C-alpha cells in the first residue's frame, strides 16, 4: 500500500513546555504496532503523531494487517464529521471515524486513556456535545500602550504576532494548534475583539499572513476567524458610512469577505464586538444588532462562514448616582427582543454571566431568552478577574456549573443542552509554559474537554490533565488538593457573596473595595454603614430577577431563597442578615476571607511536598507564584475585612485581627 | 556714542500666546523716548526690549541726552547684583542697577507700572527677598510610557525636547526665557528629577545641546541646572559603584562636572532626588544624605555651582496596617540630624508641606529644624493635585501663606525670612498658551513675583497679572472674582480639613476617597463609621506634632487649638466633633462640598459675562475648561459627601441630596 509518511509533529522550540503532550504521554501508543488507514490532511496528522511516537518509544507504524496490530485508526462510513468510535476487542484497539477530525479526536482519546486503551475489552462512541468549540485570542498585532500585546493576557506576548505583523516562523503556532486539536478545539479567532488600526488590516493587506496562520491550524481541525470592526467599511474601505442597510456597505462586505475566502477557503467567519465599550456598531445608524449581524452573515453565507456577534453591550458611561440603570439587565434588554431576527449563520456570543467574567455571577438570562437564536456561551480562560495566572485558580468546576445549570429548573434542559457552542477567551502567550502559570494549562485543557463533553466531571478532567502532564504518578493527590477547590478558595478571599468587582480598576488585579463604586462602569455594591449589595428584585430593585424564567425569577427574588453565593448580587441586606448557612453577612465575610487566605497557605505547604517529583523549573516557578498568591490573598483578606469592619463596626466573632 | 543695537526680542511662533508681555503692555515704554546706557548681555536684552517696543509704539531709543528723556536705564555703582533703583523726577523715569540683571528687573518693574511709571514723582529701591528663584522642569527627553514627556505636566509636550533630543529650534525657549526674566526667575532645572536613561546622557554626550539651552536662558539672567542620577557614575560612567566616599566616584564627578562647566561657564548646578520613590541614593552604600550631597557639592565648588538636594525622602513601600509609620515624619527624621553636615554650596530643597503638594498641609517641620543648613522651599506651580490645569486654581494665596508662615510663632521670622531660596515645579509645556489653562499663566507669574518679594499681596499680584495680560481694563473685577478665591474653592470641593490624598491613584485627578487608603504610599485617612483623620499627636499618635517648635507643637497637639483646616491632618476625630467654626466635622464636609461646587458654578457664570471683552479663543477655551471643572467639582462633591454619608449615617442638616 502507498500511504503518506504523515505530517511531522511540530518540534517544540528549545525550552518550551510540551504541556499535556509530553513524550511519555505518547508512550502507550508509541510502544505498539499501529496502523493508520485513510487519506486527507487530518489523517496525515494522526499518522504523523504515530510516526513520532513509535520513533520515540520503539513501536511500529505498519501498513498491512490485520494481524498483530495493537491499534488501528481507520475510516468508517456514517457518524458525524467529528464523531468517532473507539473500542478494544481481540487485543486490538480501534479508532474509527467518518472524517479526519473524528479520527484525530479518537486518536487523542486513546492517548488520554494511556495503557488502559490497551487493556480489557471496551467500546466508546463519542461525538462532541457542542459543534462550536472556540478560542478567542485577544491578541493585538501592535503592542497597545495600555493593554499590551495580548489584552488581558498574562502569558507574555502573542503567539501569532511580533514586530508589527504575523510572525515569520509559525513553528510554535503549529505546536499550539496540535495542542488544541488534541482537546477538540475546532475554531480560533486570531485577534482581539477590540480592533485597532493595524489589526483592521488583517482583513485586507495583511490577509496573506492570516492565510499562513490558517494553514497552520487547518491540519488540526481548527478553523481561523477574525475579529472585525463594524466601522471597517469606513476605516479600511474608505466609504462614507458603515450603515448596515447601505448597499455600498453590503457590497463592500461581500467583496471583502469573498477575498478572505479566496485566501482561506475554510475561513470560519467574523467575531464582532459592536456598540460596546467604545467600539463602533449599528446604533450609530439607527439600526439594531440584528441588522448589524445579518449584514456580515449575508456576506459570509455563500462561503459557509459564521458571524459571532457578541452580546456584551451595555452603557459604560453610567452615572453611579442613578440606581435605576442596571448593567446586569443590559444584554437581555438589548437582545431578547431580537430573537427570530438573526440569520441562521449568526451565533450570538453571550458571556456566561450578566456582568463580566466575575468569579461568581448568576447565569446571563439572555441564554434562556432567545429560543430561536443560535447562542454560544462565552467563558474566560484567561484569568482577568481570577488571579491573572499569578494565582492557582482552576476554573473547570466553575464552567462545569455554568454549563450544567438548568435555566428552567430541574425539569428543563441545561445551558449546554441549549447552546449552539462554547467560546472561551484564551489564556496563552509566548510564555515558555504557554500560560504564564504552569498550572493554568489545566484551564485550557479543561475548557477543551468540557466543550467536548460538559458532562465530564471537573475532578476527572483535572486528574486527566495531571496524568498527562506529570510523569510521576504519585503527584496526583497532592496536585488535586492544590488545584481542585482553588476557584472556590479564590472566591472566598476576594469579593464576597456574588457582589463582584471589588478589584483595582484598570488592571483588575488585587483588591480595591470601592475601586468601581463611583465609576461609570455600572459595577456597584452600595455598601454603607448598615448593609451591602445590589437590589435587583422586581419588587423594590432594578427588576433584573424578572429577566429569568421560573423558577429562578422567584428563587432570586427573595433573600430567603436566593443562594448565599449570589445574595449580594440580587439583594441589598443589612450586615446582620442571616444567611442560609446560618452565619451573618458580615461574619461570613470575615470567616471566608480568613479561611480563603489560610487555604492558600495550605496549598503552598502541599505544593512544597512535591519538590523532586515535579520538574525543578516548574516546581520553582509555582513555588514563587504561590508566594505572590499568598501575599495577594492576605491583602484581599485584610482590605475586605477592614473595609467592612470600618463600615459596619461589627467585630469579628472569633476575635481575629481587623485593622 | 556707540551702543549695540540690542538683543532682538525673540519672536513668538504663530499662534503662541504672549502671556503677560503682549504688545500693549510695552506701550507705555514704547511710546516714549528711552535711553539705555551700558554694555553686557543683559543690558543688550533691555536695549532690545526698548528697540522692539519703540518700533511698535512710535517712541524712540536715543543715545544722547540728558534732555527730553522719558526713561533712562543706566548702570550705577553699588547695590546687589540683582537690585535696582527706579524713580521718577523732573519728568524722567530712571532705572539704575549695578549689574545687567538688576537693570533687566528694573526695566520690567517699569513695564509692570505702565503709565504710572511716567506720572508724578516716586522712588523705589528693590532687591529680591530670595537669592534663589528657581523653576524645576520635570521634562523628559523621551516620552515616558506612563508619565508622558513632562511628568505631571498638563500643558502639552516639552518646550525643550522633541524627537529624542534637545529641539533644533529654540526660538520658543527664548520667548520663554524672556518671560521668566521679566518676573525675576534666575534659575531653571532643565530635566525631570526622576532621571531616566536618555536624560542621564544630558550630562555627557548630550551636553552640547544643554549648552545651547543655557545660551538661550543666559541673556535673561537665568542659569541652567541639570537633574542628575546619583547612580550616574555607574550608569553613565561605567564604574562599579556610586559610593560617595569612593575616590573613583569623587574623581568621576569632579571630571564630569568640570566638563559641564567648560561647556556652560555659568552652569548653576545639580538637582538630585536620591533614595526616593525608587531613585538611587547614598543609602545603598550605608552613607547618609550629607555624604551624598557633599560629594556633588565638592565637584561643583570650584566652579561656583550649587547642589539642590531634595528632602523628599520617605518609605513608599509602607504597610497600611502599620499605623506607627508616618510619612509626614520622614523628611524631618532623615534630615534634621544632618544639620551642620552640609557644605555651604548645598541647598536642601524641601517641599513646603510634609507630604506632597496637597491643597492644604501644615508647613514641613524640616524648614524650622535646620538653622545651619541652606534651605529652599519647594512649591508646585504645575497643578498635580490642584486640578491639573483643567481647574481654575490660583495658587498665589497658598504660597503667600506658606512663605509668610511663622514657624516659631508671632515673635519669630517667616519661612521666607529663613529660606535661602524658593523653587517651584514648572507648569509650562508646548501648549500655545504655555500652561494648558490660559488662567494658569497667573500661577507662573505669581510664583516669580512672590519669589522676588513674598510680602506682595496675592490680590495685588493677581491684579498685576490681569492688567498685563488683558487689554480691556474692565475685566479686572470679574476676573478677580473668578480667580481670587479659587484655591480655597478647590479646597472646599476636594479633600476636607487637611486630610489630603482622596484623589484617584496614579493620575491624581478627580476623587477617589479610598484610592490611597490601602496603598503602600503612606497616605491614609482611616475613616470608619465613627470618625476620620490621622492621629499625629505626641500623646496618642505618631508624634509628628513634636517635630514642630513651639507654639505649633502645642497648637497642633490639641484638637481644641488646631486650626480647622488642618484638623484631620493632625487628629482622628468623631464625625460629630465640633470644629472651631461651630460646625460638626461631617456637616462641615457636606457644607463645604456643596458650597465649593456652587462656587465653581458661580465662577462660570461670572466668566460668561466676559464674552467679547477677552480674546475669543481664550474665552472659549476657559469656558470649556470651566465646564469640566464644574463636572469634576460635582463629582468631588457627590463622591465625598456620599462616602461620608454612607459611613457616618449622619444626614445633611439642610436636607440636600446625598447618594
Amino acid at each position: 500500500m502507498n500511504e503518506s509518511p504523515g505530517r511531522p509533529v511540530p518540534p517544540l522550540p528549545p525550552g518550551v513546555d510540551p504541556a499535556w503532550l509530553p513524550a511519555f504521554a505518547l508512550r502507550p501508543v508509541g510502544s505498539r504496532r499501529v496502523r493508520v488507514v485513510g487519506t486527507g490532511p487530518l489523517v496525515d496528522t494522526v499518522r504523523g503523531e504515530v510516526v513520532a511516537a513509535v520513533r520515540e518509544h520503539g513501536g511500529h507504524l505498519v501498513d498491512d494487517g490485520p494481524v498483530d496490530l495493537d491499534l488501528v485508526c481507520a475510516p468508517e462510513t456514517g457518524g458525524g464529521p467529528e464523531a468517532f468510535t473507539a473500542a478494544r476487542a481481540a487485543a486490538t484497539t480501534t479508532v474509527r471515524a467518518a472524517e479526519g477530525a473524528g479520527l484525530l479526536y479518537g486518536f487523542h482519546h486513546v492517548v488520554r486513556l494511556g495503557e488502559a486503551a490497551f487493556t480489557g475489552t471496551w467500546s466508546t462512541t463519542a461525538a462532541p456535545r457542542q459543534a462550536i468549540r472556540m478560542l478567542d485570542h485577544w491578541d493585538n498585532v501592535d503592542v497597545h500602550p495600555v493593554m499590551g500585546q495580548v489584552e488581558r493576557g498574562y502569558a507574555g506576548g502573542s503567539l501569532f504576532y511580533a514586530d508589527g505583523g504575523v510572525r515569520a516562523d509559525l513553528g510554535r503556532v503549529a505546536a499550539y494548534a496540535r495542542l488544541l486539536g488534541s482537546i477538540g478545539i475546532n475554531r480560533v479567532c486570531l485577534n482581539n475583539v477590540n480592533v485597532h488600526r493595524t489589526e483592521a488590516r488583517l482583513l485586507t493587506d495583511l490577509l496573506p499572513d492570516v492565510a499562513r496562520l490558517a494553514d497552520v491550524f487547518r491540519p488540526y481541525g481548527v478553523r481561523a476567524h477574525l475579529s472585525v470592526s463594524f466601522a471597517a467599511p469606513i476605516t479600511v474601505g474608505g466609504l462614507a458610512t458603515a450603515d448596515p442597510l447601505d448597499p455600498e456597505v453590503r457590497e463592500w462586505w461581500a467583496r471583502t469577505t469573498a477575498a478572505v475566502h479566496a485566501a482561506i477557503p475554510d475561513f470560519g467567519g467574523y467575531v464582532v464586538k459592536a456598540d460596546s465599550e467604545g467600539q463602533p456598531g449599528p446604533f450609530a445608524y439607527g439600526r439594531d444588532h440584528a441588522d448589524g449581524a445579518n449584514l456580515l452573515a449575508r456576506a459570509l453565507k455563500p462561503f459557509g462562514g459564521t458571524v459571532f456577534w457578541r452580546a456584551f453591550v451595555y452603557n459604560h458611561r453610567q452615572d453611579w448616582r442613578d440606581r435605576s440603570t442596571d448593567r446586569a439587565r443590559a444584554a437581555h434588554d438589548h437582545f431578547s427582543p431580537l430573537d427570530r431576527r438573526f440569520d441562521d449563520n449568526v451565533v450570538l456570543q453571550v458571556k456566561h454571566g450578566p456582568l463580566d467574567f466575575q468569579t461568581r455571577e448568576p447565569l446571563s438570562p439572555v441564554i434562556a431568552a432567545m429560543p430561536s437564536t443560535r447562542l454560544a456561551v462565552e467563558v474566560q480562560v484567561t484569568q482577568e478577574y481570577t488571579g491573572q495566572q499569578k494565582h492557582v485558580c482552576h476554573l473547570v468546576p466553575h464552567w462545569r456549573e455554568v454549563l450544567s445549570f438548568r435555566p428552567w429548573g430541574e425539569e428543563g434542559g441545561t445551558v449546554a443542552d441549549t447552546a449552539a457552542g462554547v467560546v472561551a477567551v484564551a489564556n496563552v502567550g509566548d510564555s515558555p509554559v504557554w500560560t504564564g502559570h504552569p498550572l493554568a494549562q489545566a484551564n485550557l485543557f479543561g475548557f477543551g474537554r468540557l466543550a467536548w463533553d460538559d458532562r465530564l466531571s471537573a475532578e476527572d478532567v483535572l486528574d486527566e490533565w495531571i496524568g498527562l502532564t506529570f510523569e510521576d504518578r504519585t503527584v496526583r493527590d497532592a496536585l488535586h488538593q492544590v488545584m481542585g477547590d482553588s476557584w472556590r478558595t479564590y472566591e472566598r478571599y476576594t469579593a464576597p457573596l456574588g457582589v463582584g468587582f471589588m478589584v483595582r480598576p484598570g488592571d483588575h488585579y488585587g483588591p480595591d473595595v470601592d475601586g468601581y463604586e463611583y465609576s461609570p462602569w455600572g459595577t456597584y455594591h452600595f455598601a454603607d454603614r448598615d448593609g451591602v449589595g445590589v437590589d435587583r428584585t422586581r419588587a423594590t430593585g432594578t427588576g433584573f430577577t424578572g429577566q429569568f424564567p421560573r423558577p429562578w425569577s422567584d428563587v432570586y427574588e427573595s433573600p430567603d431563597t436566593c443562594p448565599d453565593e449570589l445574595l449580594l448580587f440580587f439583594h441589598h441586606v443589612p450586615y446582620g442578615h442571616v444567611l442560609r448557612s446560618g452565619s451573618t453577612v458580615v461574619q461570613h465575610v470575615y470567616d471566608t476571607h480568613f479561611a480563603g487566605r489560610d487555604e492558600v497557605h495550605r496549598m503552598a505547604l502541599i505544593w512544597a511536598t512535591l519538590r523532586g517529583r515535579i520538574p525543578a523549573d516548574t516546581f520553582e516557578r509555582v513555588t514563587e507564584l504561590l508566594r505572590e498568591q499568598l501575599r495577594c490573598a492576605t491583602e484581599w483578606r485584610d482590605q475586605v475585612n477592614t473595609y467592612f469592619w470600618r463600615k459596619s463596626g461589627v467585630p469579628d466573632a472569633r476575635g481575629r485581627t481587623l485593622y
Side-chain angles (χ1 to χ4, degrees), chain A:
Chain A
M1 291 178 71
N2 251 336
E3 282 166 350
S4 86
R7 179 181 325 284
V9 170
L12 285 173
V16 171
D17 190 86
W20 55 82
L21 291 178
F24 77 82
L26 277 298
R27 189 182 301 127
V29 168
S31 56
R32 288 186 159 81
R33 289 174 58 81
V34 185
R35 184 165 181 208
V36 179
V37 183
T39 56
L42 275 76
V43 178
D44 278 356
T45 300
V46 173
R47 188 172 288 115
E49 289 285 351
V50 173
V51 167
V54 298
R55 186 186 304 132
E56 175 86 19
H57 299 292
H60 298 278
L61 175 71
V62 294
D63 62 1
D64 55 5
V67 294
D68 277 348
L69 288 176
D70 297 307
L71 174 62
V72 178
C73 301
E76 66 178 351
T77 50
E82 298 186 312
F84 64 85
T85 302
R88 187 164 190 273
T92 300
T93 301
T94 54
V95 175
R96 292 187 181 275
E99 298 194 11
L103 207 71
L104 179 67
Y105 300 147
F107 171 78
H108 281 290
H109 176 77
V110 167
V111 172
R112 282 192 294 272
L113 287 175
E115 283 299 331
F118 303 100
T119 319
T121 301
W122 52 267
S123 177
T124 305
T125 299
R129 285 265 292 166
Q130 303 296 334
I132 293 166
R133 305 178 302 279
M134 181 162 178
L135 284 171
D136 281 2
H137 286 263
W138 288 356
D139 293 29
N140 300 311
V141 178
D142 291 331
V143 177
H144 188 275
V146 175
M147 288 298 177
Q149 186 162 27
V150 181
E151 180 161 331
R152 307 302 180 188
Y154 311 103
S158 170
L159 284 173
F160 308 145
Y161 311 110
D163 305 322
V166 173
R167 288 176 185 273
D169 178 357
L170 296 181
R172 183 135 185 221
V173 176
Y176 176 59
R178 175 180 178 241
L179 286 171
L180 297 193
S182 77
I183 53 173
I185 299 296
N186 63 358
R187 292 168 183 260
V188 290
C189 182
L190 298 171
N191 65 305
N192 188 1
V193 288
N194 293 314
V195 180
H196 310 293
R197 187 187 307 244
T198 302
E199 293 73 21
R201 292 169 41 217
L202 293 171
L203 202 54
T204 55
D205 60 303
L206 296 177
L207 186 59
D209 285 318
V210 178
R212 287 201 296 121
L213 280 167
D215 291 345
V216 170
F217 279 106
R218 188 174 296 110
Y220 301 93
V222 182
R223 292 170 78 180
H225 302 63
L226 287 176
S227 291
V228 296
S229 163
F230 196 76
I234 301 169
T235 56
V236 177
L239 301 188
T241 178
D243 182 347
L245 303 194
D246 184 282
E248 274 196 285
V249 170
R250 256 180 287 173
E251 206 281 316
W252 186 85
W253 278 112
R255 188 159 26 91
T256 301
T257 306
V260 173
H261 275 278
I264 308 167
D266 61 344
F267 181 68
Y270 299 134
V271 176
V272 190
K273 175 178 179 178
D275 288 319
S276 176
E277 298 182 341
Q279 293 294 312
F283 286 167
Y285 307 98
R287 315 304 182 190
D288 64 27
H289 281 254
D291 296 327
N294 294 341
L295 166 73
L296 301 179
R298 285 160 203 179
L300 287 158
K301 183 78 177 176
F303 312 102
T306 304
V307 179
F308 292 83
W309 191 268
R310 292 178 96 227
F312 184 58
V313 175
Y314 69 99
N315 173 10
H316 70 291
R317 289 279 169 265
Q318 224 174 290
D319 187 340
W320 58 270
R321 301 165 190 82
D322 163 25
R323 296 205 187 187
S324 69
T325 303
D326 181 3
R327 172 168 165 182
R329 292 187 56 112
H332 188 281
D333 284 346
H334 281 298
F335 285 94
S336 67
L338 301 179
D339 194 28
R340 300 181 177 279
R341 290 275 317 285
F342 292 100
D343 285 5
D344 63 4
N345 64 329
V346 173
V347 168
L348 192 65
Q349 185 170 319
V350 187
K351 292 192 183 190
H352 67 83
L355 290 183
D356 188 19
F357 299 137
Q358 298 302 288
T359 311
R360 178 75 71 170
E361 294 186 44
L363 188 75
S364 168
V366 175
I367 294 169
M370 302 185 69
S372 302
T373 305
R374 295 174 70 205
L375 298 174
V377 180
E378 183 177 339
V379 299
Q380 197 178 37
V381 183
T382 191
Q383 292 171 235
E384 177 175 359
Y385 292 101
T386 52
Q388 304 201 346
Q389 281 133 266
K390 292 178 180 165
H391 295 216
V392 177
C393 185
H394 185 58
L395 290 164
V396 176
H398 182 27
W399 306 325
R400 182 67 171 69
E401 276 192 22
V402 168
L403 294 171
S404 63
F405 186 82
R406 294 180 186 274
W408 299 272
E410 284 310 306
E411 308 305 306
T414 67
V415 166
D417 294 337
T418 305
V422 289
V423 180
V425 187
N427 67 342
V428 299
D430 67 2
S431 139
V433 298
W434 302 95
T435 51
H437 199 306
L439 304 185
Q441 291 176 4
N443 284 328
L444 181 59
F445 178 88
F447 169 73
R449 299 292 292 128
L450 283 190
W452 179 272
D453 187 353
D454 52 277
R455 297 161 306 191
L456 292 170
S457 90
E459 307 283 298
D460 290 348
V461 171
L462 176 55
D463 287 341
E464 202 174 68
W465 175 78
I466 295 171
L468 289 166
T469 304
F470 297 102
E471 188 158 15
D472 186 333
R473 319 307 289 175
T474 69
V475 305
R476 195 172 85 175
D477 283 356
L479 255 180
H480 203 113
Q481 282 186 63
V482 169
M483 299 173 69
D485 205 37
S486 56
W487 165 55
R488 287 187 187 83
T489 295
Y490 188 85
E491 180 182 31
R492 284 181 195 109
Y493 64 74
T494 56
L497 297 164
V499 77
F501 269 106
M502 290 181 169
V503 290
R504 209 158 55 202
D507 74 352
H508 299 167
Y509 185 76
D512 187 344
V513 178
D514 269 1
Y516 279 95
E517 192 58 16
Y518 303 95
S519 80
W521 295 94
T523 47
Y524 313 120
H525 54 65
F526 303 119
D528 61 18
R529 74 194 323 251
D530 302 315
V532 58
V534 191
D535 185 350
R536 292 190 161 108
T537 64
R538 300 190 288 289
T540 55
T542 67
F544 171 65
T545 59
Q547 292 187 339
F548 288 89
R550 288 219 167 73
W552 296 107
S553 59
D554 294 333
V555 168
Y556 293 146
E557 178 73 7
S558 163
D560 297 331
T561 51
C562 183
D564 283 350
E565 69 267 19
L566 289 171
L567 183 69
L568 301 183
F569 195 96
F570 286 106
H571 299 278
H572 187 93
V573 297
Y575 292 119
H577 175 88
V578 178
L579 296 169
R580 293 154 62 92
S581 72
S583 181
T584 64
V585 165
V586 68
Q587 190 59 42
H588 173 92
V589 171
Y590 300 153
D591 288 344
T592 51
H593 282 77
F594 282 108
R597 184 269 177 196
D598 289 348
E599 282 157 26
V600 176
H601 183 60
R602 194 183 53 85
M603 285 157 65
L605 293 178
I606 296 169
W607 178 261
T609 68
L610 295 177
R611 182 184 294 279
R613 297 196 282 151
I614 294 268
D617 49 351
T618 303
F619 180 82
E620 293 302 337
R621 179 86 184 115
V622 173
T623 299
E624 185 190 308
L625 286 162
L626 279 164
R627 201 172 296 130
E628 164 58 15
Q629 183 169 4
L630 184 62
R631 182 205 65 74
C632 191
T634 306
E635 201 60 36
W636 271 101
R637 176 194 71 187
D638 289 343
Q639 287 196 32
V640 172
N641 283 349
T642 297
Y643 180 96
F644 285 106
W645 153 242
R646 288 188 186 174
K647 234 167 192 161
S648 72
V650 179
D652 174 39
R654 296 176 56 193
R656 291 162 293 195
T657 304
L658 307 171
Y659 295 92

